Amino acid sequence: MLCIKQVLSERELKVYWGTATTGKPHVAYFVPMSKIADFLKAGCEVTILFADLHAFLDNMKAPWELLELRVQYYEQVIKAMLESIGVPLDKLKFIKGTDFQLSREYTLDVYRLSSMVTEHDAKKAGAEVVKQVDHPLLSGLLYPGLQALDEEYLKVDAQFGGVDQRKIFTLAEKYLPSLGYAKRSHLMNPMVPGLTGAKMSSSEEESKIDLLDRKEDVKKKLKKAFCEPGNIENNGVLSFVKHVLFPLVGEFSIKRDPKFGGDKTYTDFEEVEKEFGEELIHPGDLKAGVEVALNKLLDPIRKKFESPELRKLSSTAYPDPSKNKGAGKGNPKVAEEDELVPSRLDIRVGKVISVEKHPDADSLYLEKIDVGEAEPRTVVSGLVAYVSQEALQDRLVLLLCNLKPQKMRGVESQAMLLCASIEGDPRRVEPLDPPEGSSPGERVFVEGYETGKPDDKLNPKKKLWEKLQVDLKVSGQCVAQWQDKHLMTKLGHITCKTLKGGNIS
């Protein structure tokens, strides 16, 4: 093996980091970027590989016709990331996979390697990186071997990647010497959990914050992020503070009312983790602090992509799927599916018939809510933190009933409880109130959209709820509105008790 210490005694270390150009890069990419900055400060020669061929091989996450555009997008957005954290680009080498992976020599090595690597080893190596399906394509089995060969063809001493790559690194160490090539060293960074608690992934929209997400989108995604009070495990918000903000900024600040401890700036992550674990930091305050710090990192990237050229690149590299399925070509079904109207939301009056603690999460409760169906729906929420368990019992509430059911700490939540909240004050939350005399199952509609039919199930990829939710507000008279039109049942307006000007989610 090429020993790092031995290499450093003779010359500077040559390191490469690769990324498959699949979905849009997200904020977890700041973790490897911060380490690349460290490598450069230490005098290393760093190569960034845009692995376009890998993107195609991984269950065709990137269509062949979009490979070049995706590479251009990745190059621009990753350069913008590096510039936003002060990394000099002139010390970096950028290379595209297909610039050398289609050569005669490389192709012959692929064949040589495929004659040695077993199907078991190839599948095991890609288990945490390549998309796993019941009937995998042969291309996905080739992926780990190509990544191993890249070490030789890029002429590096070490490869750097996330800990999810460790099985590919093991395959490289096992098989490269069989081809007569040196065994390389491997350096790994931790993986930042996604907003749902699992790995943050470019292909899982709900788990990530994209680098070009608007400030409103960042706020919305952080608000929905899993961040249970006192829970420091699989907490994507807390992990972002540890692995991104402290390495890049060196400190973390929260702002809060003096009665809750007042503003505080932390210079040591262990103190943040300790206070959050002891519930001295409220999840809402943690999220608000991350929102401010994250937007400071993203602002230069957003600004760069305001140019017409880069906006066009973004839209062509990642075309809207709805525009490729007949939309605008006389297909009424597609036109209907793309229509952004509130009548597509299945909002109903519900009655809380029981409230009990979540078996695996102290801050979550299970509410059984009658919505006029044969069986009540189970809703998982943290509302009991704001409204007592007794006050919720038998209360009339509003439910969004056609979202895709989502598991929350092992229990499936079958609807969303709609509440009003005040931006910047995570402790002020109130459930919305239907008119007096309402019955479970009654339809809630927006004034002027009384006749539209709700979707059976909202397609999460279309982001319809997220797009409509932006315009849901509480008026100065405490009436729920969408684009200044009242939310109603046949008996009158939907209201909340005190949160004038609040958001609805």
Side-chain angles (χ1 to χ4, degrees):
M1 177 181 284
L2 290 173
C3 174
I4 290 177
K5 287 184 177 179
Q6 181 182 340
V7 172
L8 288 174
S9 68
E10 301 169 2
R11 56 174 171 78
E12 301 297 352
L13 192 72
K14 296 178 181 179
V15 184
Y16 105 84
W17 174 80
T19 179
T21 52
T22 54
K24 290 184 176 180
H26 46 72
V27 295
Y29 276 60
F30 275 113
V31 177
M33 293 305 107
S34 68
K35 297 313 296 179
I36 286 171
D38 291 341
F39 291 145
L40 290 171
K41 287 175 187 172
C44 298
E45 295 180 24
V46 181
T47 297
I48 290 182
L49 169 67
F50 297 114
D52 51 346
L53 191 55
H54 285 78
F56 179 72
L57 292 175
D58 187 1
N59 213 44
M60 293 185 291
K61 284 183 181 177
W64 189 264
E65 64 274 12
L66 292 179
L67 284 186
E68 180 58 35
L69 290 168
R70 295 275 172 95
V71 168
Q72 292 175 29
Y73 179 88
Y74 263 68
E75 182 171 0
Q76 291 296 332
V77 82
I78 284 176
K79 284 182 175 179
M81 284 185 80
L82 292 165
E83 288 171 337
S84 79
I85 60 174
V87 176
L89 300 183
D90 57 345
K91 293 184 178 181
L92 283 166
K93 179 182 177 182
F94 298 91
I95 189 166
K96 185 170 65 171
T98 48
D99 286 345
F100 65 90
Q101 291 165 345
L102 300 179
S103 69
R104 180 179 182 276
E105 294 79 7
Y106 189 97
T107 304
L108 286 174
D109 271 344
V110 172
Y111 287 136
R112 290 174 63 204
L113 193 60
S114 66
S115 71
M116 303 173 184
V117 178
T118 65
E119 181 267 349
H120 171 269
D121 282 1
K123 192 170 183 180
K124 182 180 178 182
E128 294 183 51
V129 178
V130 179
K131 185 175 181 179
Q132 300 299 295
V133 293
D134 291 336
H135 302 287
L137 298 172
L138 179 59
S139 60
L141 298 176
L142 292 173
Y143 185 114
L146 269 66
Q147 185 168 332
L149 284 174
D150 292 343
E151 297 178 354
E152 171 63 24
Y153 280 80
L154 291 172
K155 302 301 178 187
V156 295
D157 307 309
Q159 182 180 174
F160 166 57
V163 293
D164 60 336
Q165 309 270 337
R166 64 191 181 279
K167 293 176 183 176
I168 294 179
F169 294 165
T170 299
L171 180 135
E173 291 180 11
K174 178 179 179 180
Y175 285 104
L176 279 189
S178 301
L179 295 173
Y181 299 140
K183 187 188 294 187
R184 267 63 176 191
S185 296
H186 295 101
L187 305 162
M188 289 174 276
N189 64 260
M191 304 302 293
V192 176
L195 302 181
T196 56
K199 170 184 169 182
M200 191 175 290
S201 167
S202 294
S203 57
E204 296 291 336
E205 189 62 35
E206 295 304 312
S207 77
K208 62 170 184 154
I209 294 174
D210 282 334
L211 297 170
L212 298 182
D213 273 350
R214 301 172 304 164
K215 290 185 177 181
E216 310 92 86
D217 297 324
V218 172
K219 177 182 291 295
K220 190 163 33 177
K221 288 181 178 181
L222 283 172
K223 187 176 180 182
K224 292 169 63 178
F226 173 74
C227 189
E228 183 183 17
N231 187 345
I232 61 174
E233 302 295 329
N234 294 321
N235 186 328
V237 182
L238 195 61
S239 292
F240 190 81
V241 176
K242 178 179 182 178
H243 296 299
V244 176
L245 297 183
F246 270 98
L248 291 178
V249 184
E251 63 180 30
F252 175 65
S253 299
I254 60 171
K255 293 186 177 296
R256 56 192 173 188
D257 192 290
K259 65 183 178 182
F260 297 120
D263 299 350
K264 186 170 181 179
T265 296
Y266 299 84
T267 55
D268 177 41
F269 173 74
E270 283 67 30
E271 187 180 2
V272 178
E273 185 177 54
K274 180 174 181 292
E275 291 195 7
F276 186 83
E278 295 172 352
E279 299 191 28
L280 298 176
I281 298 177
H282 189 278
D285 295 327
L286 181 73
K287 290 179 179 182
V290 168
E291 181 188 341
V292 171
L294 179 54
N295 278 319
K296 285 182 181 177
L297 288 174
L298 296 182
D299 278 341
I301 305 172
R302 295 184 186 118
K303 186 173 179 60
K304 179 173 180 176
F305 272 76
E306 286 175 358
S307 73
E309 296 82 10
L310 291 185
R311 288 174 66 180
K312 182 180 178 182
L313 174 61
S314 181
S315 63
T316 51
Y318 296 92
D320 184 343
S322 65
K323 294 179 180 178
N324 296 326
K325 298 180 181 177
K329 296 182 181 179
N331 187 334
K333 186 176 187 301
V334 173
E336 183 180 316
E337 288 176 354
D338 289 340
E339 194 175 9
L340 196 64
V341 291
S343 55
R344 295 179 62 186
L345 303 177
D346 183 7
I347 303 176
R348 303 185 215 168
V349 175
K351 183 178 181 179
V352 180
I353 56 177
S354 71
V355 182
E356 60 186 66
K357 289 195 72 170
H358 192 296
D360 296 315
D362 291 340
S363 64
L364 298 177
Y365 281 73
L366 312 180
E367 291 102 23
K368 295 286 186 181
I369 301 180
D370 178 7
V371 290
E373 298 171 334
E375 296 290 333
R377 295 205 182 194
T378 299
V379 177
V380 183
S381 81
L383 188 59
V384 174
Y386 312 100
V387 180
S388 72
Q389 192 168 341
E390 295 74 20
L392 270 181
Q393 188 69 43
D394 298 323
R395 179 172 181 153
L396 291 177
V397 294
L398 254 62
L399 286 188
L400 177 58
C401 295
N402 59 343
L403 286 175
K404 181 180 178 181
Q406 185 176 13
K407 282 200 172 183
M408 299 180 71
R409 299 302 295 273
V411 177
E412 186 173 80
S413 187
Q414 299 168 325
M416 178 188 285
L417 192 58
L418 295 182
C419 298
S421 61
I422 296 296
E423 184 176 334
D425 191 345
R427 293 176 174 79
R428 297 188 67 192
V429 178
E430 292 179 3
L432 296 175
D433 295 317
E436 189 174 347
S438 297
S439 301
E442 279 187 36
R443 174 91 190 278
V444 176
F445 57 87
V446 173
E447 193 175 20
Y449 295 88
E450 295 89 342
T451 57
K453 184 179 182 299
D455 291 16
D456 291 333
K457 274 284 180 287
L458 297 177
N459 183 344
K461 293 182 179 178
K462 299 280 188 178
K463 312 296 288 180
L464 183 78
W465 162 242
E466 289 79 1
K467 292 172 183 175
L468 290 168
Q469 186 268 333
V470 171
D471 293 314
L472 284 169
K473 306 287 181 185
V474 178
S475 73
Q477 289 72 46
C478 284
V479 176
Q481 297 181 330
W482 180 78
Q483 292 189 352
D484 299 326
K485 297 179 176 65
H486 299 323
L487 269 66
M488 309 177 64
T489 71
K490 61 185 179 183
L491 296 178
H493 297 155
I494 305 298
T495 60
C496 75
K497 288 188 168 47
T498 66
L499 301 187
K500 297 178 180 178
N503 299 315
I504 297 173
S505 60

